[in-house]
């Protein structure tokens, strides 16, 4: 896992799961970052199964508890992003190529 730290946030690839990244961050740095820039690799070309939908919702619930803002892009998948935003509100921010982030 690669992490780029700034004064207020982290960026990392979530191939091993965003919750794993946050657990490792907490072990190494204590607490939770204010901001996370990461894809969640939940995109699918077909509909999500009930189990996959449940996993996405549980992940969103856990992320919401952190208080961090999550900036995520295309590999999260539009459907997953919308589902997560319905749970996380403004803590889930979609980003696209060319998006400026001031963390």
């Amino acid at each position: 896992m690669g992490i780029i730290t700034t004064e207020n946030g982290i960026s990392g690839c979530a191939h091993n799961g965003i919750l794993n990244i946050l657990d490792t961050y907490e072990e190494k740095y204590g607490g939770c970052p204010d901001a996370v820039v990461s894809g969640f690799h939940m995109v699918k070309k077909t509909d999500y199964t009930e189990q996959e939908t449940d996993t996405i919702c549980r992940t969103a619930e856990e992320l919401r508890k952190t208080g961090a803002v999550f900036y995520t892009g295309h590999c999260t998948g539009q459907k997953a992003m919308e589902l997560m935003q319905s749970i996380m509100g403004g803590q889930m921010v979609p980003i696209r190529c060319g998006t400026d982030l001031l963390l």
Side-chain angles (χ1 to χ4, degrees), residues 27-89:
E27 289 173 16
K28 288 186 174 194
Y29 304 106
C32 187
D34 296 328
V36 177
V37 181
S38 180
F40 298 155
H41 296 274
M42 297 176 173
V43 68
K44 280 186 71 177
K45 293 182 180 181
T46 60
D47 289 337
Y48 294 108
T49 65
E50 186 175 328
Q51 182 178 5
E52 290 167 332
T53 299
D54 185 55
T55 298
I56 292 167
C57 290
R58 282 194 330 261
T59 299
E61 292 285 348
E62 290 299 314
L63 296 180
R64 184 174 56 127
K65 292 176 189 176
T66 68
V69 177
F70 294 85
Y71 299 89
T72 189
H74 76 279
C75 72
T76 297
Q78 188 64 37
K79 291 178 185 178
M81 199 177 310
E82 289 170 2
L83 186 57
M84 294 179 87
Q85 276 184 308
S86 73
I87 295 167
M88 298 172 65

